[in-house]
Amino acid sequence: MKKLLILSAAILFSIVITAQTSSTSGITFENAEWSKVLAKAKAENKPIFIDISTSWCGYCKKMKTKTFTDSEVGKFYNKEFINVSFDAEKGDGIALAEKYKVNGYPTFVYLNPDGSLAEQTSGYRNAEEFIKVGQLITK
């Protein structure tokens, strides 16, 4: 019985450690109102990466499960950008999709620290391609 309890505790511990590691390996998206994101970018003098997607978009889901969770993507984007993600059909996402004339998903908007547009692109990218896009913005 004691061995079973120790084994169960060890398994539970490894599951918790794995879950914590995997949840922090990709892009960390801010969970804040748009005005606060802009203020943070100005204060930190960092560009903003905006993911504008929808809940029904297949390539949006693929970006969220494959590319955004990649550890190298996370390392680069978390260091170089203030990252935010908006659903184009809800809340601040509606106004942002309209402002940037989004007509396909996923759309990626890159803003300078002052909030001005640096670049806009759309479509699925694997991890390597997505890092290259970000590197073009930060040069």
Side-chain angles (χ1 to χ4, degrees):
M1 182 68 166
K2 192 174 184 179
K3 287 181 182 179
L4 183 60
L5 185 59
I6 291 171
L7 180 61
S8 297
I11 291 171
L12 182 60
F13 179 74
S14 67
I15 290 170
V16 168
I17 295 299
T18 302
Q20 287 177 343
T21 303
S22 65
S23 68
T24 59
S25 64
I27 295 178
T28 301
F29 289 97
E30 296 287 321
N31 188 15
E33 293 176 11
W34 180 238
S35 59
K36 291 182 182 182
V37 171
L38 283 172
K40 182 175 182 176
K42 287 178 187 173
E44 294 183 15
N45 196 33
K46 245 176 151 176
I48 301 169
F49 161 65
I50 310 170
D51 163 48
I52 301 176
S53 56
T54 65
S55 61
W56 49 263
C57 164
Y59 283 120
C60 301
K61 291 176 187 177
K62 192 172 179 180
M63 286 296 296
K64 289 178 191 311
T65 59
K66 301 241 184 250
T67 306
F68 293 166
T69 58
D70 182 85
S71 62
E72 292 303 311
V73 170
K75 215 180 291 182
F76 177 77
Y77 273 76
N78 294 336
K79 178 181 176 221
E80 299 293 333
F81 296 97
I82 305 292
N83 303 298
V84 291
S85 182
F86 291 99
D87 186 318
E89 298 175 328
K90 297 178 183 171
D92 287 337
I94 296 168
L96 289 170
E98 188 175 299
K99 178 177 183 174
Y100 295 108
K101 298 175 178 40
V102 173
N103 57 13
Y105 303 105
T107 291
F108 311 114
V109 179
Y110 295 86
L111 303 179
N112 296 309
D114 65 1
S116 63
L117 181 65
E119 185 64 54
Q120 183 171 331
T121 186
S122 62
Y124 176 78
R125 304 281 195 300
N126 67 30
E128 185 179 321
E129 295 167 336
F130 199 62
I131 290 171
K132 286 179 183 176
V133 172
Q135 288 171 335
L136 292 173
I137 306 303
T138 59
K139 283 187 178 184

